[in-house]
Amino acid sequence: MQPLDEFDKKLLRLLQRNNKTTADELGEAVGLSPSAVQRRLKRLRDEKVIEADVSIVSPQVAGIGITCVVDIVLQDGNSRALEKFKTTMRKCPEVMQCYFVTGTYDFVILVNAKDMQHYEAFSKKWLMDNNNVKHFYTHVVMDKVKVGYSVEV
């Protein structure tokens, strides 16, 4: 992967704010021609510096009423059990994020649910009925104080 220069960094900062910005607008902002911007963006995508171009959908519009942060302790921590749990979490449509972490817990997941009944059904199916889940602790989000997707470049 080619190291990021100042033009790349400026482009990435602008795109993280609005990925619909045109090559003309980006070029004007950073001092490059639109074709130079397009070449750079292609390289950044090809090198997986830009992992995805996505639209963030409002959870409320999708019928999501609650978000939960769930700390999970597994019964068995061997590599096979860990990989099986990771695979299981990847299959859960309610799980937005899943992290294998150090410390007291083995995993931390972020779950979106329509309501508490939906979360209860999720937790029964994916956590309570999973023989390798020893304990899980649910924190219901009261307010999303800060949600960000950009990284500092």
Side-chain angles (χ1 to χ4, degrees):
M1 181 170 62
Q2 185 176 332
L4 298 178
D5 65 15
E6 286 307 309
F7 288 115
D8 292 335
K9 291 177 183 179
K10 287 177 186 177
L11 289 170
L12 291 169
R13 282 192 288 270
L14 291 167
L15 284 175
Q16 287 185 102
R17 282 189 231 131
N18 179 2
N19 77 342
K20 292 180 75 174
T21 307
T22 67
D24 288 336
E25 294 166 330
L26 290 168
E28 181 73 28
V30 302
L32 292 172
S33 70
S35 60
V37 167
Q38 289 172 335
R39 283 191 302 275
R40 284 175 178 269
L41 293 180
K42 180 182 181 336
R43 177 180 51 79
L44 293 169
R45 287 183 176 100
D46 289 347
E47 294 178 353
K48 302 294 185 213
V49 173
I50 297 174
E51 293 183 355
D53 291 296
V54 299
S55 295
I56 300 169
V57 176
S58 165
Q60 291 79 16
V61 171
I64 303 301
I66 63 170
T67 299
C68 300
V69 178
V70 185
D71 304 319
I72 300 168
V73 178
L74 298 183
Q75 189 73 37
D76 188 359
N78 67 51
S79 61
R80 195 169 317 141
L82 292 171
E83 288 308 314
K84 184 176 180 184
F85 186 79
K86 289 176 186 180
T87 299
T88 300
M89 289 297 99
R90 288 182 188 112
K91 293 177 184 174
C92 299
E94 295 90 350
V95 175
M96 297 296 100
Q97 298 175 39
C98 177
Y99 300 98
F100 177 44
V101 297
T102 61
T104 305
Y105 309 110
D106 296 310
F107 288 89
V108 176
I109 62 174
L110 273 65
V111 177
N112 281 342
K114 295 179 190 307
D115 52 31
M116 193 52 75
Q117 290 77 22
H118 181 198
Y119 176 73
E120 182 180 3
F122 161 84
S123 64
K124 285 178 181 176
K125 178 179 179 180
W126 298 99
L127 302 175
M128 291 178 200
D129 291 345
N130 184 328
N131 292 334
N132 197 30
V133 174
K134 182 176 182 179
H135 301 293
F136 69 95
Y137 307 91
T138 302
H139 312 275
V140 177
V141 174
M142 296 186 339
D143 182 21
K144 293 181 183 180
V145 178
K146 180 180 179 183
V147 176
Y149 299 99
S150 62
V151 295
E152 192 67 33
V153 288

